[in-house]
Amino acid sequence: MDRVKKLLKKHYGYSEFRKGQEETIESLINERDTLAIMPTGAGKSLCYQLPAMIYDGITIVISPLISLMKDQVDALNEAGINATYINSTLSYDEIDERLYMLQSGEYKLLYIAPERLVAPDFRQMMSHINISMIAIDEAHCVSQWGHDFRPSYASIAPLIAEMDKRPIVAAFTATATESVKLDILKLLNLNDPKVVITGFDRENLYLSVVKGRNKKDVILDYVSSHREDVGIIYCATRKEVDATYDLLMKKGYDVGRYHAGLTDEERKETQEAFIYDDIKIIVATNAFGMGIDKSNVRYVIHHNLPQNMEAYYQEAGRAGRDGEPSECILIFSPQDIMIQKFIIEQSIASQDRQNILYEKLQTMADYCHTSKCLREYILNYFGEEYEDETCDYCSNCKDDSELTDMTLEAQKIFSCIYRMDQRFGTTMVADVLKGSKNQKVLSQNFQELSTYGIMEEYAAKEIKAMMNGLIADEYLELEGNQYPVVRLKPRAIAVLKGKETVMRKMHKLAPKSEKDSELFTILKDLRKEISQREKVPPYIIFADSTLSDMSTYMPLNDRELIDIKGVGESKVKKYGAEFIKAIESYMKAKDIDPESRPNIHN
Ligand code: ADP
């Protein structure tokens, strides 16, 4: 393990292992089959990359995500580790060349998709090389019970069984319920395996749910106070993606959009622009994200309720892979439940399956309503106990929201709904309260109602937002799928009779703590320049956290630079001089005395 630790520092620039890494690596270098279940961003790649450097032979990494392979291989090469990939994006000549180089021992790691295993020329090549380990990424794909079943994963175990010398088999996944775990062990035919489970908690993610506010306002508020940050905004439909994208475009944000209605070319361009930091925000349907390994995503906002917790945690988990504090915000409106129910109803034939999905949807809705710790809720869902009483890092534990009395407004809304015979949706009710002269209102003679125009001081969207809050707090309910009408619940009657008051919480989003320092911005610009020159994404050159440490400690020579977390030897050689020069000129311009710098070892 001493050797492994040295390699960790040398190639990746890290001095410590994260939870689960050491145990997994130790088991693998002791040549034991291993299954590691660790959440997204926990650092699974290192768990097979480091042993791969220790073994005599080659490690084959099986990954279903072709789009990730190049990224991973680029990152390895940048860290001074010889690796390559073979997949359908390469020409025959390129594949031949790589196969040849493999046989001459050029590489320590080879990435392939599972389909490649059954290709005859590939199998023939396999019999000529010394394969020390087969590492199977996204191992849950082997199980039919998982949310991501891939039939080609079934060919992995039989193929391993045919090999003359059985390599060590390592399996990795971020999502595995008990049945999926058992499937992985059985279907991949792991031999007396060590199972390492680190738990699902992602401590650096601030979880929040926002209710009863206009969604677009929430998004605009948030992005305007996080202009420097990179983020993803997920919407349920293409239409909502387009609308949100247009809104942010008009306000002058660097934004891109991604959904299945765009051409392959457009999608590819947007994805590249996002990866290379040319755009900061991406608005997307859930079609976006598989294969995105970008480590510096600072926030993930869900404009709509996702269908289930597995999907939510996977999408939200794309924030903060680098371990830096990041936010996951879910904006809830009761209409979202209707939309998702409608989607399930339309797309799933089997009633049983529909019922399972409705149940999962309900759990997701409960997440939005619960007053307990959000982290605890998620971990419990995945079958894990949460020891601490509060996490102090979610919108329920850190509830600094203001309580306001809105009994009067609620009474006005309820009485208007009552007078409209509980037969209309929230838009129409809001229009009447606002005193709108639109044709729909006038044709029903609603201008005659005593509640017409009694909330004219509010914008219609504010009135609607209040109603959404009242729905979330169960004073009102929506009925019907496509054009839901809003109805009073018993609690609303008590309010109308003056027996109950209505208090509303206005959830505040965590404010941005501090602005990026000037030097940090300079270093980011330099990284961008290098990224364009070398044609590798910025975060593969150095993570944001590494640049941030550089701007704090201001290293002025190679020795000081290597002390920074995330700086390995090969990066010092490649980029050290440029970064040191930038820091030097900054310090000169600002007249900073090197002696006054903070000491990294303190
Ligand atoms: P996963 O595959 O589990 O989602 P990755 O392997 O992509 O996660 O790692 C996520 C991020 O964490 C990467 O940027 C990686 O460099 C970083 N990382 C991994 N191990 C460590 C460590 N021991 N110390 C600091 N950062 C680490």
Side-chain angles (χ1 to χ4, degrees):
M1 283 309 279
D2 275 351
R3 216 177 125 201
V4 176
K5 269 211 147 161
K6 283 198 183 110
L7 292 171
L8 178 71
K9 182 65 205 159
K10 178 171 177 215
H11 292 284
Y12 301 88
Y14 302 136
S15 313
E16 301 293 329
F17 283 115
R18 286 201 186 143
K19 215 167 32 176
Q21 286 182 327
E22 193 160 12
E23 215 184 332
T24 307
I25 293 171
E26 195 158 27
S27 160
L28 287 173
I29 57 176
N30 287 329
E31 307 197 346
R32 183 161 172 203
D33 282 4
T34 306
L35 164 64
I37 305 176
M38 296 155 89
T40 310
K44 289 185 282 297
S45 328
L46 241 76
C47 296
Y48 54 81
Q49 290 168 354
L50 282 167
M53 283 184 257
I54 303 264
Y55 298 139
D56 293 340
I58 287 169
T59 290
I60 294 186
V61 184
I62 299 175
S63 159
L65 304 171
I66 289 184
S67 52
L68 256 191
M69 285 179 194
K70 185 170 178 310
D71 224 30
Q72 293 250 11
V73 167
D74 280 349
L76 283 165
N77 291 335
E78 282 294 310
I81 302 162
N82 289 335
T84 192
Y85 63 91
I86 292 180
N87 66 29
S88 53
T89 65
L90 301 177
S91 68
Y92 283 119
D93 284 349
E94 284 171 314
I95 294 180
D96 269 354
E97 192 191 329
R98 290 183 187 197
L99 288 176
Y100 175 78
M101 304 242 301
L102 262 171
Q103 291 178 57
S104 45
E106 280 294 315
Y107 303 115
K108 288 312 282 180
L109 290 114
L110 166 70
Y111 284 73
I112 56 162
E115 292 76 20
R116 181 73 39 189
L117 286 175
V118 287
D121 55 342
F122 187 78
R123 295 183 70 151
Q124 207 208 337
M125 183 278 303
M126 278 178 67
S127 59
H128 295 305
I129 55 175
N130 174 14
I131 301 171
S132 297
M133 171 164 73
I134 295 202
I136 303 152
D137 209 1
E138 313 288 347
H140 60 272
C141 291
V142 77
S143 168
Q144 299 219 40
W145 304 110
H147 58 287
D148 226 0
F149 173 55
R150 301 278 181 124
S152 54
Y153 268 61
S155 60
I156 299 175
L159 186 94
I160 294 173
E162 277 173 31
M163 293 168 70
D164 289 340
K165 177 185 140 251
R166 188 181 186 281
I168 304 149
V169 183
F172 299 88
T173 177
T175 52
T177 53
E178 191 58 24
S179 49
V180 173
K181 183 181 101 183
L182 294 176
D183 256 8
I184 295 174
L185 296 173
K186 191 172 101 201
L187 300 175
L188 291 176
N189 202 10
L190 298 188
N191 183 8
D192 178 32
K194 163 110 183 150
V195 180
V196 179
I197 303 179
T198 60
F200 281 87
D201 193 12
R202 298 272 311 277
E203 288 166 11
N204 61 320
L205 299 185
Y206 182 86
L207 306 166
S208 63
V209 174
V210 180
K211 292 183 277 192
R213 281 190 59 194
N214 178 282
K215 291 178 184 247
K216 301 286 182 278
D217 290 348
V218 175
I219 291 176
L220 285 177
D221 277 0
Y222 189 83
V223 295
S224 73
S225 56
H226 294 79
R227 280 184 186 268
E228 297 300 316
D229 292 341
V230 166
I232 306 175
I233 302 173
Y234 279 110
C235 300
T237 62
R238 295 177 195 181
K239 221 170 104 190
E240 282 168 323
V241 168
D242 289 340
T244 311
Y245 166 79
D246 287 343
L247 178 77
L248 294 173
M249 244 338 223
K250 280 199 198 106
K251 300 265 178 198
Y253 289 96
D254 298 333
V255 57
R257 65 181 158 162
Y258 191 103
H259 60 62
L262 303 169
T263 62
D264 283 355
E265 198 51 40
E266 282 171 302
R267 284 205 302 254
K268 194 165 163 238
E269 252 172 46
T270 309
Q271 183 159 327
E272 290 271 294
F274 185 63
I275 287 173
Y276 277 83
D277 283 352
D278 290 332
I279 50 176
K280 290 230 159 64
I281 308 170
I282 196 152
V283 186
T285 58
N286 60 5
F288 176 78
M290 268 302 238
I292 296 295
D293 206 3
K294 193 172 166 62
S295 65
N296 63 337
V297 175
R298 287 281 73 84
Y299 61 87
V300 172
I301 298 179
H302 277 78
H303 178 274
N304 304 89
L305 186 76
Q307 251 184 38
N308 53 59
M309 192 50 95
E310 286 86 346
Y312 180 61
Y313 207 45
Q314 187 174 45
E315 287 159 14
R318 293 189 178 122
R321 274 170 174 268
D322 52 9
E324 292 292 299
S326 306
E327 264 185 87
C328 308
I329 302 158
L330 173 52
I331 312 176
F332 174 75
S333 117
Q335 273 95 336
D336 290 340
I337 301 183
M338 303 292 170
I339 297 175
Q340 293 293 11
K341 276 194 178 156
F342 183 70
I343 294 175
I344 295 171
E345 210 176 275
Q346 297 296 309
S347 58
I348 306 289
S350 137
Q351 191 60 50
D352 286 349
R353 183 85 187 135
Q354 271 190 19
N355 289 342
I356 295 175
L357 293 178
Y358 287 145
E359 226 165 84
K360 283 189 180 278
L361 178 62
Q362 188 54 48
T363 335
M364 211 45 239
D366 292 346
Y367 173 73
C368 299
H369 293 305
T370 184
S371 54
K372 75 176 192 184
C373 168
L374 295 177
R375 192 172 306 278
E376 182 183 357
Y377 185 95
I378 293 181
L379 296 180
N380 288 170
Y381 178 82
F382 288 113
E384 210 179 293
E385 292 292 324
Y386 188 63
E387 310 284 318
D388 300 335
E389 213 141 89
T390 67
C391 73
D392 236 12
Y393 208 51
C394 75
S395 59
N396 283 352
C397 289
K398 260 210 147 9
D399 193 355
D400 56 356
S401 54
E402 285 160 12
L403 273 182
T404 47
D405 185 328
M406 59 168 291
T407 311
L408 194 63
E409 284 83 357
Q411 284 171 333
K412 289 178 181 174
I413 292 169
F414 300 159
S415 113
C416 190
I417 294 170
Y418 181 72
R419 279 164 219 279
M420 289 167 73
D421 278 343
Q422 313 195 53
R423 288 192 296 117
F424 296 89
T426 50
T427 310
M428 187 72 151
V429 176
D431 279 348
V432 173
L433 285 160
K434 170 79 194 157
S436 157
K437 296 198 170 48
N438 84 31
Q439 201 43 45
K440 275 195 192 150
V441 172
L442 301 181
S443 69
Q444 298 279 345
N445 257 341
F446 283 152
Q447 73 279 20
E448 305 289 328
L449 293 179
S450 59
T451 51
Y452 179 77
I454 53 170
M455 289 181 81
E456 62 180 0
E457 69 276 27
Y458 292 99
K461 68 176 186 187
E462 284 176 285
I463 306 175
K464 265 180 84 167
M466 284 184 214
M467 269 191 268
N468 285 338
L470 292 167
I471 296 168
D473 289 347
E474 305 202 0
Y475 291 97
L476 298 174
E477 65 184 346
L478 290 173
E479 213 176 78
N481 282 346
Q482 225 168 347
Y483 302 104
V485 303
V486 56
R487 300 173 60 90
L488 304 179
K489 293 190 79 163
R491 276 187 92 179
I493 309 295
V495 175
L496 275 175
K497 289 188 177 154
K499 289 189 184 150
E500 201 180 308
T501 51
V502 181
M503 301 301 281
R504 282 288 301 147
K505 271 183 184 171
M506 295 303 284
H507 273 284
K508 285 198 219 138
L509 297 167
K512 178 94 177 137
S513 48
E514 58 195 61
K515 268 202 75 55
D516 292 339
S517 80
E518 202 180 327
L519 179 55
F520 182 58
T521 313
I522 293 173
L523 299 179
K524 258 180 35 184
D525 291 344
L526 171 61
R527 180 180 65 176
K528 178 106 186 95
E529 217 179 283
I530 299 175
S531 139
Q532 275 158 350
R533 187 182 76 210
E534 306 275 325
K535 301 203 168 33
V536 287
Y539 62 91
I540 285 184
I541 296 172
F542 284 127
D544 280 11
S545 49
T546 303
L547 294 191
S548 166
D549 282 358
M550 278 190 209
S551 65
T552 307
Y553 299 108
M554 297 183 262
L556 289 171
N557 54 47
D558 287 0
R559 191 181 36 79
E560 287 175 0
L561 190 59
I562 208 140
D563 280 345
I564 304 276
K565 190 169 158 191
V567 183
E569 276 174 21
S570 111
K571 302 233 173 129
V572 169
K573 252 189 235 143
K574 256 179 138 164
Y575 311 121
E578 283 172 280
F579 281 88
I580 288 171
K581 196 166 147 230
I583 294 167
E584 247 170 19
S585 24
Y586 172 81
M587 288 175 66
K588 225 180 225 157
K590 298 278 168 189
D591 211 8
I592 299 173
D593 177 3
E595 293 300 317
S596 68
R597 295 173 300 163
N599 185 342
I600 197 167
H601 300 293
N602 285 346

